[in-house]
Amino acid sequence: MTDKLKLKELERRIDEVLFYVWDPIGVSDTPAARGEYSSYTITILKCVLDEDIKKIATQLGKIESSSMGLTTNETKNLEIAELLVDFKYAVEEGLK
């Protein structure tokens, strides 16, 4: 994926998934917290571009445990990873 428009769209979708779906600290119902996970978007984007679901899930787990001090939710992280890769394909197909 080299098209800048597609990369920007995928980045936006990843940021939204992290906030509204992944949301390990439960702040998605607080508008003031909208940028809470934005600092992780580029790291996750790099993993998504590799299309490696296990790598994405592992990275999400590292963020939960190292950055947030939470227990890793491996099942949810795999679901989120699959969703993000699906979004990658959707962006590639949709923005031709």
Side-chain angles (χ1 to χ4, degrees), residues 18-38:
L18 293 180
F19 185 71
Y20 293 108
V21 185
W22 180 55
D23 190 27
I25 60 173
V27 296
S28 64
D29 60 348
T30 307
R34 177 60 187 90
E36 183 64 35
Y37 308 117
S38 295

Side-chain angles (χ1 to χ4, degrees), residues 46-59:
K46 291 175 185 174
C47 297
V48 171
L49 291 174
D50 290 340
E51 297 177 18
D52 185 337
I53 290 171
K54 195 165 186 80
K55 182 178 176 181
I56 299 164
T58 298
Q59 187 61 48

Side-chain angles (χ1 to χ4, degrees), residues 38-81:
S38 295
S39 64
Y40 308 118
T41 302
I42 296 299
T43 301
I44 299 302
L45 173 64
K46 291 175 185 174
C47 297
V48 171
L49 291 174
D50 290 340
E51 297 177 18
D52 185 337
I53 290 171
K54 195 165 186 80
K55 182 178 176 181
I56 299 164
T58 298
Q59 187 61 48
L60 291 170
K62 285 180 183 175
I63 293 167
E64 285 173 324
S65 62
S66 299
S67 300
M68 299 176 185
L70 302 172
T71 302
T72 300
N73 186 336
E74 293 178 23
T75 302
K76 184 168 186 179
N77 290 345
L78 283 169
E79 291 171 3
I80 297 300

Side-chain angles (χ1 to χ4, degrees), residues 1-3 5-15 17 44-53 56 79-96:
M1 182 180 289
T2 56
D3 183 306
L5 186 61
K6 289 181 181 180
L7 278 172
K8 204 67 180 158
E9 176 64 16
L10 182 57
E11 181 182 340
R12 184 185 66 77
R13 291 184 187 199
I14 290 169
D15 186 61
V17 168
I44 299 302
L45 173 64
K46 291 175 185 174
C47 297
V48 171
L49 291 174
D50 290 340
E51 297 177 18
D52 185 337
I53 290 171
I56 299 164
E79 291 171 3
I80 297 300
E82 290 173 5
L83 178 64
L84 293 174
V85 171
D86 287 347
F87 270 122
K88 177 186 182 289
Y89 296 141
V91 168
E92 286 176 338
E93 290 299 311
L95 298 177
K96 289 186 177 182

